[in-house]
Amino acid sequence: MAKKNQYTPRSVSHPGATLGAKIQEMGMTIREFAVRASKPEKTILAVIRGDSSITPDMSVIFENVTQIPAHFWISRQRNYDEFMARERMAQSIEESAEWADKFPVKKMAQYGWLQPFVDTASKTKSLFQFFAVTSAESWENFYMNQQLKVAFRISLRSTIEPYAISAWLRQGDRQAESVGITADYSDKKLKASVPAMKTLMVEMPENWPLHLQQMCAACGVKLVFTPALPKAPISGATRWIASKYPCIQISSHERRYDIFWFTFFHEVGHILLHGKKDFFLENVEYDNKELSKESEADAFAAEILLSHKEEEEIIRNRDYSVKAIISYAERFGTHPSMIVGRLQHRRIIPITVDAELLKIINIA
């Protein structure tokens, strides 16, 4: 984070200019100074022209010849180097203006994801800080060209809205950093926790999202809830952080209780059934998306929420009244929303039937 009220000079000269003036003041030629400093004349000329830097070793040598302390030369060189680095960054920011316009920055700022900005330059700089990149090119290399496959194993190039999607995923990474894990990840622990998670779904106590996060943390899983962004219709995502902790990220895009839990258990299925190198985005088409693994995760979630046998019994009885759905839910140990959602998904009942049993939630 930049320091408040930090002064940044508009121009900083190369210390070579001061050295050249000092040599003249001492009445020396550059050749004489080079001999006294035991340095090649071309090296001294390069420093004076600003083509070469004053190294710490040089600063100590110059101290002996000029009687100006070494820390002066070191400080001048450091200030100049920082100034030039900021100039290069300013150039990168200017060149990335068109890139910055492709993100839903108003909504990102509304969520507090971005540092305040007042113009195109500060907007671009805020995006650089958000993504922890130094240029539009570095963003593209990470999210589009897969140059760091260890951290990000899919390319967003084939998605409809790579900019909004990358922002949503990045916020999930930032949220995951602050999620405390109370145990190392264990398949055994996660599997054993599924019944308790289902009970949480049925009972729906106050602060149930926090309870779910804590359950996941006890299994070594990071669970985060990320607000939806315009043009990023993602319901959820799963990836491994440093091949150590699985991370489930769920969006507020879908506000139905049944869809939330289907998405959650779908992502749990990916963790338990598939490898650490896999990266999954739900409701988004992208290159190399493995549909067989998505089907496996779907089946895993569906069986937990309402087994195939239970579902067939409901359909066979053909009683879809509110009273019957509530009775089925109690008997099968699920939530009425799960039954209604499944029946609507399979088009057994219209979307208007039993709609009052579909709970609407706000998790992010």
Side-chain angles (χ1 to χ4, degrees):
M1 297 293 292
K3 294 180 180 178
K4 290 184 177 179
N5 302 321
Q6 182 178 8
Y7 171 69
T8 302
R10 298 184 64 180
S11 179
V12 176
S13 63
H14 191 281
T18 303
L19 178 63
K22 184 61 179 177
I23 291 174
Q24 284 187 334
E25 180 186 312
M26 293 187 298
M28 292 183 189
T29 63
I30 293 175
R31 181 183 179 87
E32 179 184 350
F33 181 86
V35 171
R36 289 176 181 275
S38 299
K39 289 289 181 181
E41 186 176 352
K42 65 179 182 179
T43 298
I44 303 301
L45 281 168
V47 169
I48 292 173
R49 289 196 301 263
D51 296 333
S52 185
S53 300
I54 296 178
T55 66
D57 286 341
M58 284 184 188
S59 68
V60 173
I61 292 171
F62 292 173
E63 177 183 80
N64 290 335
V65 181
T66 65
Q67 306 305 305
I68 297 176
H71 65 76
F72 169 84
W73 299 110
I74 292 173
S75 178
R76 283 293 311 279
Q77 186 65 57
R78 183 178 62 247
N79 290 343
Y80 176 78
D81 290 343
E82 180 182 351
F83 173 78
M84 293 305 297
R86 292 189 183 281
E87 286 288 289
R88 289 190 292 272
M89 178 56 68
Q91 181 65 28
S92 178
I93 288 172
E94 183 179 345
E95 293 172 351
S96 301
E98 184 176 344
W99 167 82
D101 287 337
K102 297 177 181 179
F103 292 92
V105 291
K106 288 185 178 179
K107 183 61 71 172
M108 293 169 70
Q110 180 183 326
Y111 289 152
W113 299 0
L114 299 179
Q115 293 294 317
F117 57 85
V118 295
D119 53 25
T120 300
S122 59
K123 175 179 68 178
T124 305
K125 184 177 180 180
S126 187
L127 282 167
F128 281 0
Q129 292 173 340
F130 173 77
F131 283 108
V133 298
T134 56
S135 67
E137 182 182 9
S138 57
W139 173 89
E140 185 163 337
N141 286 334
F142 190 85
Y143 288 100
M144 306 283 264
N145 298 336
Q146 297 177 275
Q147 287 200 5
L148 196 61
K149 293 184 180 180
V150 172
F152 195 77
R153 299 183 179 89
I154 67 171
S155 170
L156 297 182
R157 187 174 296 281
S158 62
T159 62
I160 297 175
E161 287 292 338
Y163 301 93
I165 291 173
S166 69
W168 186 82
L169 289 169
R170 172 58 182 161
Q171 178 60 18
D173 290 338
R174 286 161 36 121
Q175 290 174 284
E177 290 174 3
S178 62
V179 173
I181 293 297
T182 56
D184 291 337
Y185 172 72
S186 165
D187 273 350
K188 185 177 180 181
K189 287 181 182 178
L190 184 57
K191 288 177 183 177
S193 296
V194 167
M197 292 171 176
K198 184 177 180 181
T199 298
L200 182 71
M201 173 201 73
V202 175
E203 296 178 352
M204 200 179 182
E206 188 176 357
N207 292 329
W208 61 266
L210 177 59
H211 293 317
L212 185 60
Q213 279 186 315
Q214 293 170 341
M215 285 182 175
C216 288
C219 302
V221 177
K222 297 193 175 208
L223 171 63
V224 297
F225 309 120
T226 308
L229 285 175
K231 300 182 180 180
I234 307 174
S235 58
T238 299
R239 67 270 206 189
W240 285 74
I241 298 175
S243 297
K244 187 176 182 181
Y245 297 116
C247 177
I248 296 175
Q249 183 180 1
I250 299 183
S251 170
S252 62
H253 176 69
E254 296 286 0
R255 297 180 59 208
R256 278 176 33 176
Y257 193 60
D258 60 311
I259 295 178
F260 169 88
W261 281 100
F262 185 87
T263 300
F264 172 74
F265 282 120
H266 177 99
E267 306 307 337
V268 170
H270 278 315
I271 295 171
L272 292 174
L273 300 174
H274 307 131
K276 291 184 177 182
K277 293 183 178 181
D278 288 319
F279 194 122
F280 298 99
L281 291 178
E282 313 310 336
N283 290 2
V284 175
E285 295 303 320
Y286 53 91
D287 287 345
N288 303 320
K289 186 171 186 176
E290 298 183 69
L291 298 181
S292 61
K293 290 184 178 180
E294 293 299 333
S295 295
E296 290 170 358
D298 279 348
F300 178 88
E303 193 65 17
I304 291 172
L305 297 172
L306 184 69
S307 72
H308 178 71
K309 181 179 179 181
E310 294 164 346
E311 180 182 335
E312 290 305 310
E313 180 181 337
I314 295 171
I315 295 173
R316 189 166 56 249
N317 291 336
R318 296 185 180 181
D319 185 355
Y320 307 126
S321 65
V322 169
K323 182 179 179 180
I325 296 298
I326 292 175
S327 177
Y328 286 132
E330 291 176 352
R331 187 152 64 90
F332 297 148
T334 191
H335 193 282
S337 289
M338 309 306 144
I339 298 177
V340 175
R342 182 75 61 82
L343 294 176
Q344 288 185 354
H345 178 72
R346 289 193 57 184
R347 298 184 179 180
I348 303 298
I349 61 175
I351 59 173
T352 55
V353 173
D354 299 330
E356 63 267 39
L357 295 177
L358 292 172
K359 286 192 173 293
I360 302 301
I361 59 172
N362 184 14
I363 58 166

